[in-house]
Amino acid sequence: MPRYSIELRKAAIQAYKITDYKVAVCKQFNISRVTLDAWIKLEEETGDLAPKPSEKRGAPSHIKDWDSFQVFVKKTKFQNISDLVPLFEQEFGYAVSYAVLVRAIHVLGLRRRRGRFYS
């Protein structure tokens, strides 16, 4: 999703206020109708066209303490990630799925070489 400058937003809103014709404004500034509608709504609600601060996107992480998890992965010897699931539950006291651990290992940047995981 592209980020548009404040100047472009102001120019598009100004053009809309002059013409009151959304389709022409969208074609002129090469933006979608949804984008223009969102800017109009944003200006009505906040009085400004600055984008709202972005919230963290996506599902919340199931691993609560990433620093401890990283230390745990480096000190624990395992051949497969499936071997890590019960060890994780024993160490941290809560359950996570295999898929969560696969994603977490990937996020940490660990790669598998000859049956072991390395950074």
Side-chain angles (χ1 to χ4, degrees):
M1 183 164 119
R3 298 261 178 189
Y4 297 101
S5 68
I6 300 295
E7 293 80 26
L8 178 77
R9 293 170 184 239
K10 288 180 181 178
I13 293 295
Q14 187 65 27
Y16 169 67
K17 287 179 180 177
I18 292 170
T19 63
D20 200 34
Y21 190 53
K22 292 180 181 179
V23 174
V25 172
C26 292
K27 286 182 181 178
Q28 179 184 354
F29 291 96
N30 196 25
I31 58 174
S32 73
R33 173 76 179 261
V34 173
T35 300
L36 182 61
D37 289 338
W39 292 348
I40 292 168
K41 183 179 176 185
L42 179 66
E43 186 184 42
E44 288 172 356
E45 289 176 354
T46 64
D48 193 18
L49 288 171
K52 293 179 181 176
S54 62
E55 298 174 6
K56 188 174 180 181
R57 296 176 65 181
S61 174
H62 295 284
I63 297 175
K64 296 177 175 94
D65 186 4
W66 277 93
D67 295 330
S68 298
F69 175 71
Q70 189 170 7
V71 170
F72 167 74
V73 169
K74 291 192 186 234
K75 75 173 183 169
T76 305
K77 294 184 181 189
F78 60 96
Q79 290 293 320
N80 298 314
I81 296 176
S82 59
D83 300 339
L84 200 60
V85 174
L87 298 172
F88 179 90
E89 292 173 1
Q90 181 181 5
E91 176 79 19
F92 291 96
Y94 59 93
V96 293
S97 69
Y98 171 79
V100 168
L101 290 180
V102 168
R103 178 72 181 138
I105 295 287
H106 177 74
V107 167
L108 291 179
L110 298 178
R111 303 286 181 254
R112 184 177 179 155
R113 294 190 193 121
R114 295 189 186 140
R116 299 254 353 231
F117 284 88
Y118 298 97
S119 57

